Amino acid sequence: MSSQKDHKLCMIPGPVEFHEDVLTSLSTPATSHVSPSFIPIFGESIELLRKVFLTEKGQPFVVSGSGTLGWDMVSSNLVEPDEDALVLNTGYFGDSFSECLGVYGAKVTQVKADIGDRTTIQEVSDALSSKSFKIITITHVDTSTGVLADVKGIAEVVKKQSPNTLIVVDGVCSAGCEELRFDEWGIDVVLTASQKALGVPPGLSILVASERAIQVFKNRKAPIPSYYASWAHWLPIMNAYESRKGMYFATPPVQLIYALNTSLKQITSIPLETRFEQHKKASNIIKDTVDSLGLKFVPKTREVAANGMTAVYYPEGIQPADLLQKVASHNVVIAGGLHRAIATKYFRIGHMGISVTEPERKHLDTVISALTSSLKELGYSGK
Amino acid sequence: MSSQKDHKLCMIPGPVEFHEDVLTSLSTPATSHVSPSFIPIFGESIELLRKVFLTEKGQPFVVSGSGTLGWDMVSSNLVEPDEDALVLNTGYFGDSFSECLGVYGAKVTQVKADIGDRTTIQEVSDALSSKSFKIITITHVDTSTGVLADVKGIAEVVKKQSPNTLIVVDGVCSAGCEELRFDEWGIDVVLTASQKALGVPPGLSILVASERAIQVFKNRKAPIPSYYASWAHWLPIMNAYESRKGMYFATPPVQLIYALNTSLKQITSIPLETRFEQHKKASNIIKDTVDSLGLKFVPKTREVAANGMTAVYYPEGIQPADLLQKVASHNVVIAGGLHRAIATKYFRIGHMGISVTEPERKHLDTVISALTSSLKELGYSGK
């Protein structure tokens, strides 16, 4: 663990801390994207993603881009102009996904939860009764609020009440740390990014689509209104690499895919169940500390709070910049607020990936200690 | 130069060999995308890009994605539905850019050069007479054929005959190795990727837009038909980072931008003129060797041939896979063909970046030696 350059411990809700072996893979020297050394790395990464997402036949896509690009892939491949989309909005990312869907011609209906709360099953059921939706989108964890959606419960009601509606999960801040069972829960799409619980530097848009979603894509009538995000280009590439053949549409980010491969091997080396439990336990450690400091969470209850991050209101009298800078002076980086309505009123701590799964690194202790000391140094005396 | 892992020398037309310092920057540990350490790195990279593209006021964009995404940015931000686009097609990449423009509603007129040839100024002039084009696109170097377009000459005739037409250069295989003068030649857009002559691993879509192009974007009437590629999202981000402020649309690929920063500093440490000359000289060394071996180039003459790569027909009796594998057995990687009509008939050698600018690495000697020996071992006796 001594091979990384000195740096402040990065405890934000992504990018997270990266394993030394992941960074070493990232610095793989120049390699052709169709070389016999790279092709199996890409192919195996596609296979490993199925394990991480707990799916037998889901189709992974690994594309150069940020997580945001996943919204374009969903909106341009699965929704045709004037089709209805239901967006469960629990913060910043629900707003943005809605905007993206609208750009590609979807008619968007939003169910907005209060800040810190999540959509109830009843609200989903009511919305589903109102019209026939092509897709429903769920932000599993809204990184802006740290609210955790009940994906399993929502999927159940959708299956029962509107079985043709495609279930799309924005798993940017959940895949790899929150319980997420693609096949068992009947999910059609999970989209995510590399830099959160998958433990790889930012630059990969990662998505898994069900066989049903791929069929919907293949049967669509309207032309696909995007070039770069079109699965018509990417599906043959994923199929080729998985069958250990090179094929060209756009040059894949070779080094990031080497890093992804290393991280996915680490992640799948223990049961996913264990990983989910580790993140729940770590989350409780952080949240118990926040509680004991007398601070207030953005999510209304523990039940609706994410396990990979914690969003906390500043105590009265503490200025945002002061706390973040004070924590940084202890060599730890935490994040400010992002939700537009309360951006200056809260901060966020990330606890995902190796910071959780390798307790010998003592990352949780370090962030707890930095936070506690910083508050004290700023004159906050607790509850 | 000893810090890279052993690997076969990568002499394809991208990805190219990467400098050790670039790979070290790439493996920067976890860093927040809005941290005080990263913001100036991103901001400075934007400034340095202007120097590389020889522009005072062009607006750089650095976006997570492959070079292909640049076509989406041009097609979705600068062209409105049913506007006319003129594509000068010298190979595979002209076909693809045309398809991309079409996806976003442009009416595309193509001027196709014969394989190995480039569009003449007269052909451009004739095409411009036929109708009023919103944009003209030029593939500066078509990586599939190694043909070099006369961007300067074309820009002149456009300025004279159709001054309102935006001049868009696909510089994926030219930016950083071919003479390309953004301001002096009056270019409106150059789009490129990180993994060619800019010497950075793949994963960055890089684009520079003129003030005029930005105005056209700002004045467009039709909504922008893309979410991820929309400059409405990216322009504020580029402006924020350049003024040394963090701002969020999508998580930038922090590690790749550290690598970009390092490479751009290296590139701008000597005059661009010198860099252009170095690439011309290196190209002549490779092409003289190919000539002396009695092999035939894909480009019809040296004048229409790129300086950063060389495309060569296999001699009779030599099978594609045999030559590539034989060269690989000498620890050098060269590329097969890509142009659909002749894909199995030719190979490609890249000579860009540090393989050219740092002759002490002896990369040119190494590829020449591997090629010459391989041909001999396969029984080719020369002319």
Side-chain angles (χ1 to χ4, degrees), chain B residues 274-344:
Chain B
T274 308
R275 193 169 172 91
F276 298 151
E277 281 311 311
Q278 286 169 328
H279 281 86
K280 280 184 193 162
K281 197 176 147 195
S283 178
N284 278 325
I285 290 170
I286 297 289
K287 288 178 176 62
D288 287 347
T289 303
V290 168
D291 245 347
S292 74
L293 287 165
L295 301 178
K296 190 172 159 251
F297 298 102
V298 174
K300 291 195 172 166
T301 63
R302 287 266 182 125
E303 199 196 350
V304 306
N307 293 293
M309 64 170 289
T310 299
V312 186
Y313 286 106
Y314 295 110
E316 260 185 56
I318 301 282
Q319 296 304 311
D322 291 346
L323 183 65
L324 298 183
Q325 279 172 26
K326 190 61 85 177
V327 171
S329 76
H330 288 273
N331 276 321
V332 176
V333 178
I334 60 173
L338 182 61
H339 192 294
R340 291 177 183 97
I342 54 168
T344 59

Side-chain angles (χ1 to χ4, degrees), chain B residues 178-201:
Chain B
E178 303 289 348
E179 186 177 1
L180 181 54
R181 301 175 186 280
F182 194 92
D183 285 358
E184 194 181 319
W185 295 355
I187 309 300
D188 290 294
V189 173
V190 175
L191 62 96
T192 190
S194 46
Q195 76 276 7
K196 308 235 174 185
L198 297 183
V200 179

Side-chain angles (χ1 to χ4, degrees), chain A residues 76-283:
Chain A
S76 63
N77 290 289
L78 294 179
V79 188
E80 303 194 32
D82 294 326
E83 287 183 333
D84 282 292
L86 178 61
V87 173
L88 308 188
N89 186 325
T90 47
Y92 179 96
F93 294 92
D95 293 343
S96 303
F97 203 162
S98 298
E99 187 193 336
C100 180
L101 282 158
V103 163
Y104 292 102
K107 283 170 18 196
V108 178
T109 301
Q110 292 195 56
V111 179
K112 288 200 185 197
D114 290 341
I115 293 173
D117 210 351
R118 67 187 184 187
T119 321
T120 65
I121 301 299
Q122 188 58 51
E123 286 169 325
V124 177
S125 175
D126 292 348
L128 289 171
S129 308
S130 70
K131 58 184 89 160
S132 174
F133 291 100
K134 179 71 170 287
I135 67 169
I136 178 172
T137 77
I138 311 158
T139 315
H140 197 175
V141 171
D142 198 295
T143 319
S144 76
T145 57
V147 165
L148 177 73
D150 175 12
V151 173
K152 185 185 178 193
I154 295 165
E156 277 169 8
V157 72
V158 176
K159 296 278 171 210
K160 197 170 140 193
Q161 215 175 311
S162 182
N164 290 327
T165 301
L166 295 172
I167 301 170
V168 174
V169 176
D170 178 338
V172 169
C173 199
S174 81
C177 62
E178 303 290 348
E179 186 178 359
L180 180 54
R181 301 176 186 279
F182 193 91
D183 285 359
E184 194 181 319
W185 295 355
I187 308 300
D188 290 295
V189 173
V190 174
L191 61 96
T192 190
S194 46
Q195 76 276 6
K196 308 234 176 189
L198 298 182
V200 179
L204 295 177
S205 172
I206 294 168
L207 185 148
V208 180
S210 68
E211 289 184 289
R212 184 169 79 143
I214 296 293
Q215 275 313 315
V216 167
F217 152 71
K218 285 184 173 169
N219 295 335
R220 69 177 281 139
K221 302 262 184 320
I224 297 164
S226 173
Y227 183 77
Y228 189 68
S230 169
W231 289 350
H233 296 125
W234 291 113
L235 188 56
I237 302 298
M238 298 304 134
N239 291 339
Y241 277 91
E242 186 166 4
S243 58
R244 306 302 190 263
K245 284 179 198 140
M247 191 176 174
Y248 181 76
F249 165 60
T251 305
V254 173
Q255 278 65 21
L256 279 165
I257 291 171
Y258 269 103
L260 176 69
N261 185 267
T262 296
S263 191
L264 292 176
K265 278 183 183 153
Q266 291 177 350
I267 290 171
T268 54
S269 69
I270 57 164
L272 263 289
E273 310 294 337
T274 309
R275 192 170 173 89
F276 298 150
E277 281 310 311
Q278 286 169 329
H279 281 86
K280 279 183 194 163
K281 197 176 146 196
S283 178

